[in-house]
Amino acid sequence: DYHKVLEENRKLYNQVQDLKGNIRVYCRVRPFLPGQSSNMNTIGRIDDGSITIITPLKYGKEGRKSFTFNKVFGPSASQEAVFSDTQPLIRSVLDGYNVCIFAYGQTGSGKTHTMSGPKELNEQTVGVNYRALNDLFHLSEERMDTIRYEIAVQMIEIYNEQVRDLLATDGVNKRLEIRNSSLNGVNVPDANLVPVTSTSEVLDLMNLGQRNRVVSATALNDRSSRSHSCLTIHIQGRDMTSGNILRGCMHLVDLAGSERVDKSEVKGDRLKEAQHINKSLSALGDVIASLAQKNSHVPYRNSKLTQLLQDSLGGQAKTLMFVHISPEADATGETLSTLKFAERVASVELGAARVNKESGDIKELKEQIVSLRAALARKE
Ligand code: ADP
Ligand code: MG
């Protein structure tokens, strides 16, 4: 019946995704915040791999639009549950893979919550950043007899196409260059690179990064929603028997808010910011989409963000995009545009893996299954 067909659809979709070179998309729905009324909800049905959005009344009828992703986390999903589906990807950095994890979504949709956690941090609430490092520490200790790992981190911010060091101890206002050397690959040599061995050191660094972000924000209130922040974890492992060195790198990126800005309403600095954000997010979308389609030319050079991540997007690298949406009805427009962006970066050939209607339209699902099977057959 409908559920079986939906499940098979999702399974095939994931298989096609795997073949496409490790680009995964997870969707996370923020719960209503304390004091918000849940009457005005734009979220329809959620299951493991798809989500339906209820769109505003049109011609006296509510619309529905469904989207399929590798995974959908509903509003009650815990930080732990979100992390556990991310863990295998994170662990692959110890095997020498490059990994990129993004948080995408409009301001207030939960990006920082997923990556760093809320203001009150404790064992339950810490986000992917902290959990990732914690996990890497444990795993590297377990492997100590065979491989000796060194772990170091950098934290930078990209604001108006300028790169700044969030771990600078002497102020953050120096502009940094992104370099590409044959020895070290793409890197930011002048950003502080801090060796870490324990989670308490990591917490201290994250606090420093947070403070630096806040300091630069006073003039232009809440700059954090208008800049990209990137925690980069550099791993170097020495194989104790062969002496070989293995390198891996992971970028954890809290992107600038993706909301569209009405050009008729903003001027000056705000307009410039909006244009920079727009440019870099669409450059990111273009890069991921062109990787997913296995295009021969990938347009990395169109923004600082994609330049910085060049080594960690495509090739053998693994990419995960968390797309965040808000449940409020008045966010429906942004929610749909976020999900369309996500769908584009996850798009399968022919755009087949999309569930267009919720209403148990088995015929359509079956047609999609046929084209997903065909896509699999072509790739194999
Ligand atoms: P963004 O970084 O996208 O602007 P935030 O992460 O700051 O959004 O989230 C906005 C507010 O919603 C914060 O108060 C945050 O703690 C809360 N929030 C976001 N996601 C969740 C969640 N999954 N569970 C509980 N609270 C959340
Ligand atoms: Mg944020």
Side-chain angles (χ1 to χ4, degrees):
D1 70 311
Y2 179 64
H3 283 281
K4 264 207 188 126
V5 175
L6 195 66
E7 180 55 32
E8 180 173 9
N9 187 297
R10 194 175 71 81
K11 241 172 59 194
L12 286 168
Y13 174 75
N14 278 338
Q15 282 174 26
V16 172
Q17 290 277 294
D18 284 340
L19 281 174
K20 289 194 321 172
N22 296 311
I23 295 169
R24 317 204 118 229
V25 179
Y26 292 170
C27 174
R28 188 177 195 186
V29 184
R30 170 168 66 60
F32 281 97
L33 299 175
Q36 273 186 335
S37 155
S38 57
N39 291 335
M40 302 294 282
N41 192 350
T42 189
I43 310 295
R45 192 191 143 108
I46 296 177
D47 66 36
D48 197 38
S50 75
I51 179 162
T52 304
I53 302 302
I54 303 165
T55 59
L57 286 175
K58 213 176 187 182
Y59 315 116
K61 237 183 114 197
E62 262 180 4
R64 281 169 184 269
K65 202 159 172 10
S66 296
F67 299 84
T68 302
F69 298 110
N70 297 101
K71 185 104 195 164
V72 178
F73 295 101
S76 57
S78 66
Q79 296 285 75
E80 190 187 359
V82 169
F83 179 72
S84 80
D85 275 298
T86 313
Q87 206 168 24
L89 186 79
I90 285 169
R91 294 188 159 194
S92 68
V93 78
L94 290 179
D95 301 320
Y97 285 96
N98 286 355
V99 175
C100 253
I101 302 181
F102 296 97
Y104 182 96
Q106 75 175 118
T107 298
S109 59
K111 297 180 297 296
T112 303
H113 188 91
T114 295
M115 302 310 282
S116 310
K119 283 204 185 72
E120 313 310 314
L121 280 185
N122 60 46
E123 231 166 88
Q124 263 81 52
T125 61
V126 286
V128 168
N129 288 351
Y130 178 89
R131 288 171 197 265
L133 278 156
N134 192 24
D135 198 51
L136 293 178
F137 289 141
H138 279 132
L139 213 67
S140 62
E141 222 169 273
E142 275 171 31
R143 294 187 185 176
M144 191 131 104
D145 293 337
T146 46
I147 306 178
R148 287 286 154 81
Y149 286 104
E150 282 166 32
I151 303 179
V153 301
Q154 284 180 315
M155 222 171 142
I156 61 145
E157 175 186 59
I158 301 176
Y159 174 71
N160 281 353
E161 290 298 278
Q162 295 175 5
V163 180
R164 297 209 157 89
D165 186 2
L166 288 177
L167 297 183
T169 42
D170 57 348
V172 282
N173 285 324
K174 211 169 76 191
R175 285 175 57 173
L176 304 179
E177 297 296 328
I178 299 170
R179 305 240 182 255
N180 194 349
S181 76
S182 50
L183 188 65
N184 298 318
V186 175
N187 63 346
V188 185
D190 295 329
N192 209 355
L193 177 69
V194 186
V196 284
T197 53
S198 73
T199 44
S200 65
E201 288 169 0
V202 171
L203 279 182
D204 288 346
L205 288 175
M206 285 179 183
N207 283 332
L208 173 64
Q210 206 50 47
R211 274 202 308 278
N212 277 337
R213 242 183 152 188
V214 173
V215 167
S216 46
T218 45
L220 290 159
N221 65 82
D222 190 24
R223 169 155 141 187
S224 77
S225 64
R226 299 194 298 280
S227 65
H228 311 299
S229 84
C230 179
L231 170 70
T232 304
I233 305 176
H234 299 269
I235 302 270
Q236 184 173 307
R238 175 187 290 274
D239 188 310
M240 299 309 280
T241 39
S242 68
N244 287 345
I245 301 279
L246 154 169
R247 286 194 180 83
C249 157
M250 173 156 57
H251 297 286
L252 296 145
V253 190
D254 188 344
L255 292 168
S258 60
E259 57 272 13
R260 293 154 301 175
V261 172
D262 185 349
K263 288 199 184 83
S264 63
E265 283 180 7
V266 296
K267 292 192 183 66
D269 286 348
R270 278 304 177 89
L271 183 59
K272 201 172 91 183
E273 281 173 350
Q275 287 165 339
H276 282 305
I277 292 168
N278 218 331
K279 182 179 145 197
S280 58
L281 291 179
S282 49
L284 180 65
D286 293 344
V287 163
I288 298 179
S290 93
L291 289 168
Q293 285 153 21
K294 300 212 183 292
N295 291 349
S296 55
H297 174 72
V298 182
Y300 291 110
R301 299 209 58 83
N302 290 349
S303 74
K304 284 280 190 283
L305 180 68
T306 47
Q307 274 172 45
L308 176 73
L309 302 174
Q310 177 160 358
D311 278 359
S312 305
L313 288 169
Q316 285 296 300
K318 303 186 180 192
T319 303
L320 170 62
M321 173 92 71
F322 278 107
V323 296
H324 294 83
I325 57 176
S326 306
E328 299 92 39
D330 57 11
T332 307
E334 284 304 330
T335 295
L336 287 173
S337 98
T338 294
L339 292 175
K340 278 182 198 142
F341 175 90
E343 192 172 54
R344 178 170 168 250
V345 307
S347 69
V348 191
E349 280 166 86
L350 314 169
R354 211 178 67 201
V355 187
N356 285 310
K357 292 194 197 76
E358 192 209 25
S359 56
D361 197 344
I362 292 199
K363 186 167 159 276
E364 191 164 344
L365 284 172
K366 282 188 171 153
E367 281 167 16
Q368 288 183 358
I369 286 176
V370 170
S371 56
L372 284 168
R373 284 225 177 89
L376 277 172
R378 275 200 306 279
K379 293 276 173 88
E380 274 163 8

